[in-house]
Amino acid sequence: MTMQLLLVLLLAFTFNHDVVVSHNGSADKIKYEKAATLPIQNHTNPDEVYFFPSMLQYRKEMLLHFPSYLEPVEDEEIHKLCTEVSLDDKVCTSSLMEMTKYSKSKLKEHTSPLQTSIINKKDDTIEQLYTVQDRVEKLETNGGITSSSSPSAFVICHGLTDSIHYCHLTDKTHVYKVPLQGKVDGTIIQAMVACHLDTSKWNPLHLSFYQLKVKPGEATICHFLVKRDYVWVPVSTVMM
């Protein structure tokens, strides 16, 4: 039995799932009794919603929640996560300056941060249907020279607290600026969206596969960036 299979079975047991193992030793079918996620998704955004790029079209509707406040991740979990990422090509930062330095080192040029913003509401937002408005904009690097199908590299930083962020380089990714409007109260949001073209190396128990009923590597998967999240883009990036 391989180490990878042992890990799948351990995670399945931990999250109380029924795992069916195929003859070649892979996790061929996973039946979820409750959502299982990678720690970073589970801790930073409990309302995470994943979707296909086809949803980023005018008048498409999604049930979403963009909370104005997120509970900080517990200190023990922050320590565990940041200890693990220090062994990989990722980093936990404690200031805007550290995020700037990391993003510049990965993207090889000066960078600028972008965030999801709530335009017309100061108090807490509600979960409601949001409609995609006109003018979804796709970020293109290299002065917009790359084709519409060519993925770019960006740095994404997930907020563990208001000051501590888990940052990583993401390639084979499309990033969009998506205008949304709430159908119940008219909340207007300029949302940043990351669409990952290659999910073949993602944990097979990732929440996105449960929500979308696909397996690793089968589809491009998108998600919104919420409060405390940043996407760092090269200064040469333009909206298309």
Side-chain angles (χ1 to χ4, degrees), residues 143-177:
I145 296 174
T146 55
S147 69
S148 59
S149 62
S150 176
S152 301
F154 302 94
V155 167
I156 294 179
C157 294
H158 303 276
L160 304 178
T161 68
D162 287 339
S163 59
I164 300 176
H165 288 77
Y166 159 83
C167 299
H168 61 93
L169 177 69
T170 175
D171 58 1
K172 298 180 181 178
T173 300
H174 288 155
V175 171
Y176 298 87
K177 187 176 182 180

Side-chain angles (χ1 to χ4, degrees), residues 40 78-79 81-83 85-86 89-106 113 155-169 228-230 232:
I40 187 64
I78 292 176
H79 176 75
L81 176 63
C82 293
T83 300
V85 302
S86 66
D89 196 23
K90 306 174 181 70
V91 70
C92 283
T93 65
S94 58
S95 69
L96 190 66
M97 183 175 294
E98 289 182 4
M99 280 193 281
T100 303
K101 182 178 179 181
Y102 175 80
S103 62
K104 182 180 178 182
S105 70
K106 295 303 176 185
V155 167
I156 294 179
C157 294
H158 303 276
L160 304 178
T161 68
D162 287 339
S163 59
I164 300 176
H165 288 77
Y166 159 83
C167 299
H168 61 93
L169 177 69
R228 296 200 307 239
D229 292 346
Y230 292 88
W232 289 82

Side-chain angles (χ1 to χ4, degrees), residues 66-93:
F66 293 89
S68 57
Y69 174 77
L70 288 172
E71 290 287 344
V73 178
E74 295 181 0
D75 290 344
E76 182 179 346
E77 294 297 336
I78 292 176
H79 176 75
K80 178 181 177 182
L81 176 63
C82 293
T83 300
E84 291 173 352
V85 302
S86 66
L87 305 176
D88 203 349
D89 196 23
K90 306 174 181 70
V91 70
C92 283
T93 65

Side-chain angles (χ1 to χ4, degrees), residues 105-116:
S105 70
K106 295 303 176 185
L107 299 176
K108 310 303 180 185
E109 64 173 286
H110 291 291
T111 59
S112 178
L114 296 173
Q115 281 186 294
T116 290

Side-chain angles (χ1 to χ4, degrees), residues 152-231:
S152 301
F154 302 94
V155 167
I156 294 179
C157 294
H158 303 276
L160 304 178
T161 68
D162 287 339
S163 59
I164 300 176
H165 288 77
Y166 159 83
C167 299
H168 61 93
L169 177 69
T170 175
D171 58 1
K172 298 180 181 178
T173 300
H174 288 155
V175 171
Y176 298 87
K177 187 176 182 180
V178 181
L180 301 168
Q181 184 165 18
K183 296 195 70 175
V184 175
D185 63 3
T187 298
I188 297 173
I189 295 179
Q190 291 287 353
M192 301 306 302
V193 172
C195 292
H196 303 278
L197 279 67
D198 183 7
T199 62
S200 60
K201 296 181 181 179
W202 287 18
N203 188 322
L205 295 181
H206 195 283
L207 176 61
S208 61
F209 303 131
Y210 167 67
Q211 289 185 355
L212 300 175
K213 304 297 187 276
V214 295
K215 296 179 181 179
E218 285 188 345
T220 295
I221 293 178
C222 305
H223 64 92
F224 291 97
L225 301 181
V226 295
K227 186 176 178 66
R228 296 200 307 239
D229 292 346
Y230 292 88
V231 55

